[in-house]
Amino acid sequence: MSRSFECFYFKACQFDAKQGLITLEYALDDEHVFCEEIQFPNPPAQLPAKRLQAIERLLPLLHFIAGISYYKAAVPPRIAIETALPDPETAAFLHNLYWQGLGEFAWQNGLDLKARLQFPAQTQDLAPAVFAGEKQALQRRSLLPVGGGKDSIVSLETLRASGESLTQISVGNPHIIRQVERSSGLPYIVVQRRISPLLLKLNAQGALNGHVPISAILASILAIAAVLYDYDRIVMSNERSANVGNFRQGALDVNHQYSKSLDFEQQMQQQLARRVAGLHYFSLLRPLSELDIARRFATMPSIQQYDSVFSSCNRNHRLHNKSNHPGNWCLDCPKCRFVFLALAPFMPQARLLKIFTKNMLDDPAQQDGFDALIGVGQHKPFECVGEVEESQVAFYLLSQQADWQQSYLVKRFRAEILPGLNNLETLLETALRPAQAHQLPEDYWDLIS
């Protein structure tokens, strides 16, 4: 796709309550019109009027956020909105989300988006939130998004142990997610998102492409799901390392995980509260480091049932999976390396090798990949992995364990890297102590502190 475009249009959005179907329309100039569909299974036969009103209040927010997937195909200099204009606070929220959420995409494509992004806004504020003043509008129960990896499993089993009323939910249902959902024995909901085929066609023709803040899009879908199915809490599994960017570029902290960060979580909660009172969006694991989550995964007895089915490898979520490895892990990506490294200090070696089928730390070909995790010669990978210091601490712990000391990369770390590092004992203590920056309701803090 060689030509440039002048305008990106938000054209229309609608919700069919009987079918549980949302349609979102966008366009690049008058040439390319995109239609996305989001299908919610088994919608209520009779949706109460107030909950329908709440969904209608959330729908424009979903329309604006999901548009980021189509806007990035050409990043035209003008944005036009043919539906109701956002209020000034929402327009500012969208500007920040597109700027920070597309930070990695903009860096990789050599773009400066901050000045280009101009969301039109109306002058008046939003009407009062639906359910405002009502004591308990939505049922006190939780929707837990499941991605198939260790983090959401730790959340699931922590909430289950507390007696929380919860249902699993996913947007899409690749086999890893299906396996985890079924292994848990808990009820689950599968929402289907059908991206416009035209976008995929334009991508194949050379449209601008790259990372989008997918967790922000999922958050807006989950908010509608919560109201549709009558849940008052959306419990995410985003940890504190998501707050730390990959590197700084000018005024922007380029963060692959921006839409998993506390900053986004707080802004999203504010946007939801302005539309639907009593609807809560937060992450149970926000105070925890990736290393602490790995420790909990490795040591909670109820989690061993997931060993053969879970995976954090993104290969399982790609439309075109080119890996030839038959298991749940490709064994050659930053996610596989980090999860192996984070689990190793806390899990019996035999159990870990059964999960991964090989010792990744005894493979010299993996050295550059593990060096990126510990900050040797390059920035942290553009993946959802822990902080550099957490990886350093994990290697340090392994260097003290006899059954790991002879693995090639552990031996090399002990000889070449460890002498140049300081305060690892202090970093270890910090990594395994919950932080205070979070949005947890008070009763949830007790579950993970």
Side-chain angles (χ1 to χ4, degrees):
M1 192 175 74
S2 58
R3 62 153 293 188
S4 60
F5 292 84
E6 293 300 318
C7 188
F8 180 74
Y9 292 91
F10 292 88
K11 296 191 69 67
C13 58
Q14 60 183 11
F15 173 61
D16 185 325
K18 290 185 178 180
Q19 296 187 57
L21 180 66
I22 287 175
T23 54
L24 309 171
E25 292 187 11
Y26 311 93
L28 286 170
D29 290 351
D30 295 323
E31 183 174 345
H32 298 302
V33 178
F34 308 97
C35 182
E36 177 170 318
E37 294 183 337
I38 299 167
Q39 180 69 63
F40 298 89
N42 305 314
Q46 293 294 327
L47 186 63
K50 272 290 191 73
R51 278 171 42 210
L52 178 58
Q53 182 185 357
I55 290 172
E56 290 172 344
R57 290 292 300 278
L58 293 170
L59 182 59
L61 186 64
L62 168 61
H63 188 215
F64 293 137
I65 293 176
I68 201 166
S69 295
Y70 303 94
Y71 168 81
K72 70 145 179 34
V75 291
R78 189 165 69 90
I79 293 173
I81 298 172
E82 296 184 351
T83 58
L85 294 177
D87 66 285
E89 187 173 329
T90 300
F93 163 76
L94 294 170
H95 180 280
N96 184 67
L97 172 61
Y98 274 53
W99 179 50
Q100 297 213 56
L102 290 175
E104 176 185 336
F105 159 84
W107 176 77
Q108 291 178 331
N109 286 281
L111 302 169
D112 182 2
L113 295 183
K114 188 171 185 180
R116 180 179 290 251
L117 286 164
Q118 298 294 332
F119 278 89
Q122 57 182 319
T123 55
Q124 62 195 52
D125 203 352
L126 288 178
V130 180
F131 303 130
E134 298 186 24
K135 187 174 181 180
Q136 185 67 45
L138 297 168
Q139 285 198 61
R140 171 61 186 84
R141 52 184 186 163
S142 297
L143 273 182
L144 178 75
V146 173
K150 62 178 174 51
D151 295 2
S152 55
I153 292 174
V154 169
S155 290
L156 186 155
E157 290 301 324
T158 300
L159 290 178
R160 191 210 296 264
S162 76
E164 176 75 9
S165 174
L166 74 150
T167 297
Q168 302 169 99
I169 188 168
S170 62
V171 179
N173 202 226
H175 76 282
I176 290 294
I177 292 179
R178 287 198 304 274
Q179 290 179 165
V180 169
E181 288 172 335
R182 292 168 181 171
S183 295
S184 75
L186 292 171
Y188 60 90
I189 298 167
V190 178
V191 179
Q192 296 295 344
R193 180 187 180 213
R194 295 187 282 270
I195 294 174
S196 173
L198 177 57
L199 179 62
L200 304 179
K201 179 180 178 181
L202 294 183
N203 286 343
Q205 294 173 356
L208 292 173
N209 203 358
H211 177 74
V212 297
I214 185 63
S215 294
I217 299 171
L218 298 181
S220 53
I221 295 172
L222 294 168
I224 290 177
V227 174
L228 180 65
Y229 299 117
D230 200 10
Y231 291 77
D232 75 335
R233 300 186 180 201
I234 304 160
V235 185
M236 304 300 291
S237 301
N238 302 323
E239 74 298 323
R240 72 186 190 215
S241 68
N243 303 331
V244 180
N246 297 78
F247 61 88
R248 190 85 181 172
Q249 185 182 42
L252 179 62
D253 189 22
V254 179
N255 185 357
H256 175 81
Q257 301 188 78
Y258 173 71
S259 58
K260 292 185 175 182
S261 70
L262 179 60
D263 180 62
F264 171 77
E265 180 184 312
Q266 291 171 330
Q267 291 192 41
M268 188 66 185
Q269 174 57 46
Q270 291 170 3
Q271 290 297 318
L272 297 180
R274 298 175 70 227
R275 292 161 173 80
V276 182
L279 178 59
H280 304 282
Y281 175 85
F282 61 91
S283 175
L284 177 66
L285 306 184
R286 178 65 64 198
L288 306 182
S289 69
E290 281 273 22
L291 208 58
D292 194 5
I293 295 167
R295 178 180 65 86
R296 294 170 191 238
F297 185 96
T299 57
M300 290 173 67
S302 61
I303 283 181
Q304 289 198 38
Q305 64 175 311
Y306 300 100
D307 281 5
S308 64
V309 299
F310 90 103
S311 178
S312 300
C313 177
N314 285 334
R315 177 200 65 176
N316 299 294
H317 301 277
R318 296 190 181 114
L319 291 176
H320 304 291
N321 181 356
K322 296 181 180 180
S323 172
N324 293 319
H325 193 270
N328 292 345
W329 307 85
C330 76
L331 306 180
D332 193 26
C333 74
K335 289 294 287 290
C336 287
R337 293 185 193 101
F338 178 76
V339 175
F340 188 99
L341 176 63
L343 290 174
F346 309 109
M347 183 178 285
Q349 190 179 85
R351 179 183 169 195
L352 185 63
L353 298 186
K354 185 176 180 181
I355 291 170
F356 281 85
T357 72
K358 68 176 282 188
N359 182 354
M360 297 183 70
L361 293 169
D362 203 30
D363 181 359
Q366 300 276 0
Q367 180 172 311
D368 287 347
F370 279 104
D371 278 357
L373 294 177
I374 60 175
V376 174
Q378 49 195 308
H379 62 71
K380 188 176 75 170
F382 282 128
E383 285 283 5
C384 298
V385 296
E387 299 174 48
V388 164
E389 292 79 7
E390 291 181 80
S391 294
Q392 292 173 350
V393 167
F395 261 111
Y396 166 67
L397 290 173
L398 294 176
S399 74
Q400 309 304 304
Q401 297 180 18
D403 57 347
W404 287 104
Q405 286 176 349
Q406 297 308 309
S407 293
Y408 176 85
L409 294 175
V410 178
K411 186 187 301 184
R412 180 249 184 180
F413 174 86
R414 193 174 186 181
E416 300 179 19
I417 309 298
L418 183 56
L421 299 178
N422 299 311
N423 302 320
L424 285 174
E425 288 287 355
T426 301
L427 288 173
L428 171 61
E429 181 184 353
T430 302
L432 299 182
R433 184 175 63 241
Q436 299 297 316
H438 59 82
Q439 288 198 125
L440 291 178
E442 187 173 346
D443 53 336
Y444 279 62
W445 171 254
D446 295 337
L447 301 180
I448 54 91
S449 60

